[in-house]
Amino acid sequence: MLDPSVPPEASALIRAGNRSLSVMDHIREAILNGSVSAGERINEVRVSKTLAVSRTPVRAALQALAGEGLLDYAPNRGFTVREFPLDAIVDAYEIRASLEGVAARFAAERGLSTEERAVIEQSLAAGDRLLARGTLESGDITIYRDINGDFHDALLLAARNRMLAEMIRICHHVPVSSSRNIVVFEYRDVRRRHDDHHRIFEAILAQEPHRAEMLMREHVSGVKASLVRSLTGHDASTNRVNRPVPAATE
């Protein structure tokens, strides 16, 4: 059980993963999945208490994450989650759409391992069960976050290209663009995205690389469009504004 004196932002670091994760993994995952919001200060003492580690590895993790661009540091204030303007988020989604499209094409060309196929099938089945009720509850976002992340992570593994994986990881350093950060959690949007997953998987199994690439590009671009509409009321292609966006709850 978490210490009741620990504030929500620190508790989120525990929820972000299990104890086998490194301190940096815990903090990074909490940022990428939106548990810790943009602009929020990360208290070194509270994090060390929550994760039951000394302040030394916490400080090293925060410094490393600042080097990755996920955190900002200011004297006398410490580390805060970096805020990104909407233009930067839109750019990250567009680059991610291209890169994940290539990953889907590679997966279709190279085939899925038994383990990769099992993870994807499990994520699709879990999504089917979640959506079978015809409605979504607030707590379902955590379930869908894992479903969505597992699908995208398995396809990236199936691409078997380290350079591609590193480039996509850089896109995820803009937190809202991460596949672990769920954008616009409404039933209609989630239904459409999950149906996309089924179609992408079918194209990969059918060894149709160019169709798989096209479907994945459209899938990620659709998430981008949903995010921009929810924040501005305009389409991403017609309204690119330079204002910071909080880490929204793909």
Side-chain angles (χ1 to χ4, degrees):
M1 178 177 294
L2 296 178
D3 186 331
S5 67
V6 175
E9 76 274 10
S11 298
L13 302 177
I14 287 291
R15 295 195 299 272
N18 57 48
R19 292 287 183 175
S20 66
L21 294 178
S22 70
V23 172
M24 189 163 70
D25 287 334
H26 274 289
I27 301 172
R28 183 193 289 112
E29 180 66 12
I31 295 169
L32 294 182
N33 69 25
S35 296
V36 184
S37 301
E40 192 168 338
R41 181 172 176 267
I42 297 183
N43 186 293
E44 185 180 305
V45 175
R46 291 170 178 166
V47 173
S48 64
K49 179 179 179 181
T50 303
L51 297 180
V53 296
S54 71
R55 292 177 61 181
T56 300
V58 172
R59 187 179 304 113
L62 295 176
Q63 290 170 344
L65 291 171
E68 289 185 2
L70 284 176
L71 300 176
D72 287 326
Y73 176 79
N76 303 318
R77 176 168 170 76
F79 294 92
T80 57
V81 178
R82 184 179 174 189
E83 294 183 295
F84 291 86
L86 182 56
D87 275 0
I89 295 169
V90 169
D91 287 345
Y93 266 106
E94 291 177 354
I95 295 168
R96 186 184 144 204
S98 296
L99 295 175
E100 291 207 37
V102 173
R105 172 160 59 86
F106 283 176
E109 291 172 346
R110 299 169 184 181
L112 301 172
S113 70
T114 301
E115 294 79 8
E116 291 157 356
R117 178 166 179 166
V119 169
I120 293 172
E121 289 177 339
Q122 288 168 11
S123 76
L124 293 175
D128 291 343
R129 291 192 297 270
L130 181 67
L131 293 164
R133 297 196 311 263
T135 186
L136 292 170
E137 301 173 358
S138 59
D140 291 337
I141 192 170
T142 302
I143 299 171
Y144 182 70
R145 177 180 290 127
D146 290 337
I147 290 169
N148 189 66
D150 288 348
F151 178 85
H152 285 270
D153 290 349
L155 284 191
L156 185 53
L157 284 174
R160 297 179 182 82
N161 189 295
R162 183 175 178 178
M163 181 182 296
L164 184 61
E166 287 297 311
M167 294 171 72
I168 291 174
R169 185 175 65 85
I170 292 172
C171 291
H172 286 187
H173 285 176
V174 180
V176 183
S177 72
S178 168
S179 60
R180 295 282 176 181
N181 197 329
I182 307 304
V183 170
V184 191
F185 193 64
E186 301 292 338
Y187 183 87
R188 182 180 63 178
D189 295 281
V190 175
R191 174 82 268 175
R192 182 170 59 249
R193 294 169 198 162
H194 187 64
D195 290 343
D196 287 348
H197 287 182
H198 274 286
R199 285 189 289 270
I200 293 165
F201 182 52
E202 289 166 2
I204 290 171
L205 290 183
Q207 296 182 308
E208 297 176 337
H210 295 294
R211 181 167 180 266
E213 179 175 8
M214 177 196 68
L215 289 170
M216 180 61 85
R217 282 176 178 251
E218 291 177 351
H219 171 65
V220 178
S221 294
V223 176
K224 175 197 70 177
S226 294
L227 172 65
V228 173
R229 281 196 303 271
S230 73
L231 294 172
T232 69
H234 294 80
D235 184 80
S237 62
T238 60
N239 185 53
R240 291 172 67 85
V241 295
N242 187 33
R243 67 181 179 85
V245 175
T249 65
E250 173 165 314

